[in-house]
mmCIF file of all heavy atoms in Angstrom:
data_model
loop_
_atom_site.group_PDB
_atom_site.id
_atom_site.type_symbol
_atom_site.label_atom_id
_atom_site.label_comp_id
_atom_site.label_asym_id
_atom_site.label_seq_id
_atom_site.Cartn_x
_atom_site.Cartn_y
_atom_site.Cartn_z
ATOM 1 N N PRO Q 244 122.029 93.325 135.969
ATOM 2 C CA PRO Q 244 122.520 91.915 136.245
ATOM 3 C C PRO Q 244 123.735 91.927 137.269
ATOM 4 O O PRO Q 244 124.375 92.872 137.486
ATOM 5 C CB PRO Q 244 123.050 91.494 134.819
ATOM 6 C CG PRO Q 244 123.349 92.747 134.109
ATOM 7 C CD PRO Q 244 122.331 93.681 134.601
ATOM 8 N N ILE Q 285 131.400 46.016 119.925
ATOM 9 C CA ILE Q 285 130.731 47.180 120.421
ATOM 10 C C ILE Q 285 131.142 47.334 121.893
ATOM 11 O O ILE Q 285 130.941 46.398 122.699
ATOM 12 C CB ILE Q 285 129.224 47.037 120.299
ATOM 13 C CG1 ILE Q 285 128.817 46.706 118.865
ATOM 14 C CG2 ILE Q 285 128.567 48.485 120.774
ATOM 15 C CD1 ILE Q 285 129.193 47.705 117.839
ATOM 16 N N VAL Q 350 132.545 62.867 104.933
ATOM 17 C CA VAL Q 350 132.872 61.636 104.286
ATOM 18 C C VAL Q 350 134.295 61.350 104.677
ATOM 19 O O VAL Q 350 135.204 62.123 104.251
ATOM 20 C CB VAL Q 350 132.582 61.683 102.787
ATOM 21 C CG1 VAL Q 350 132.995 60.242 102.185
ATOM 22 C CG2 VAL Q 350 131.176 61.883 102.500
ATOM 23 N N ALA Q 359 144.469 58.250 85.394
ATOM 24 C CA ALA Q 359 145.562 58.307 84.432
ATOM 25 C C ALA Q 359 144.996 58.380 83.013
ATOM 26 O O ALA Q 359 144.170 57.552 82.667
ATOM 27 C CB ALA Q 359 146.573 57.123 84.582
ATOM 28 N N GLN Q 372 142.573 53.300 94.874
ATOM 29 C CA GLN Q 372 143.091 53.868 96.098
ATOM 30 C C GLN Q 372 143.029 52.870 97.220
ATOM 31 O O GLN Q 372 141.918 52.753 97.818
ATOM 32 C CB GLN Q 372 142.219 55.174 96.415
ATOM 33 C CG GLN Q 372 142.134 56.180 95.262
ATOM 34 C CD GLN Q 372 143.448 56.836 94.963
ATOM 35 O OE1 GLN Q 372 143.911 57.729 95.726
ATOM 36 N NE2 GLN Q 372 143.971 56.594 93.840
ATOM 37 N N THR Q 398 146.236 58.783 104.590
ATOM 38 C CA THR Q 398 146.076 60.219 104.807
ATOM 39 C C THR Q 398 145.864 60.369 106.347
ATOM 40 O O THR Q 398 145.195 59.668 106.960
ATOM 41 C CB THR Q 398 144.738 60.642 104.085
ATOM 42 O OG1 THR Q 398 144.812 60.482 102.728
ATOM 43 C CG2 THR Q 398 144.508 62.149 104.406
ATOM 44 N N GLU Q 483 153.113 89.025 103.117
ATOM 45 C CA GLU Q 483 152.868 89.533 104.438
ATOM 46 C C GLU Q 483 151.587 90.414 104.375
ATOM 47 O O GLU Q 483 151.429 91.266 103.497
ATOM 48 C CB GLU Q 483 154.061 90.215 104.990
ATOM 49 C CG GLU Q 483 155.254 89.241 105.325
ATOM 50 C CD GLU Q 483 156.350 89.988 106.070
ATOM 51 O OE1 GLU Q 483 156.207 91.148 106.310
ATOM 52 O OE2 GLU Q 483 157.341 89.278 106.313
ATOM 53 N N ARG Q 485 150.691 93.269 105.863
ATOM 54 C CA ARG Q 485 150.900 94.742 105.712
ATOM 55 C C ARG Q 485 151.218 95.108 104.221
ATOM 56 O O ARG Q 485 150.568 96.001 103.716
ATOM 57 C CB ARG Q 485 152.008 95.249 106.569
ATOM 58 C CG ARG Q 485 152.149 96.700 106.618
ATOM 59 C CD ARG Q 485 153.303 97.103 107.578
ATOM 60 N NE ARG Q 485 153.524 98.486 107.691
ATOM 61 C CZ ARG Q 485 152.841 99.324 108.464
ATOM 62 N NH1 ARG Q 485 151.857 98.780 109.265
ATOM 63 N NH2 ARG Q 485 153.080 100.635 108.498
ATOM 64 N N LEU Q 504 149.777 108.466 84.119
ATOM 65 C CA LEU Q 504 151.001 108.093 83.363
ATOM 66 C C LEU Q 504 150.861 108.445 81.848
ATOM 67 O O LEU Q 504 151.889 108.879 81.265
ATOM 68 C CB LEU Q 504 151.096 106.510 83.478
ATOM 69 C CG LEU Q 504 152.329 105.875 82.823
ATOM 70 C CD1 LEU Q 504 153.655 106.384 83.434
ATOM 71 C CD2 LEU Q 504 152.271 104.313 82.876
ATOM 72 N N ASN Q 505 149.742 108.345 81.248
ATOM 73 C CA ASN Q 505 149.540 108.695 79.903
ATOM 74 C C ASN Q 505 149.722 110.193 79.658
ATOM 75 O O ASN Q 505 150.316 110.656 78.732
ATOM 76 C CB ASN Q 505 148.087 108.289 79.464
ATOM 77 C CG ASN Q 505 147.987 106.840 79.037
ATOM 78 O OD1 ASN Q 505 149.025 106.255 78.796
ATOM 79 N ND2 ASN Q 505 146.768 106.316 78.985
#
Side-chain angles (χ1 to χ4, degrees):
I285 310 299
V350 179
Q372 307 290 293
T398 300
E483 290 187 2
R485 188 178 179 86
L504 182 62
N505 281 340

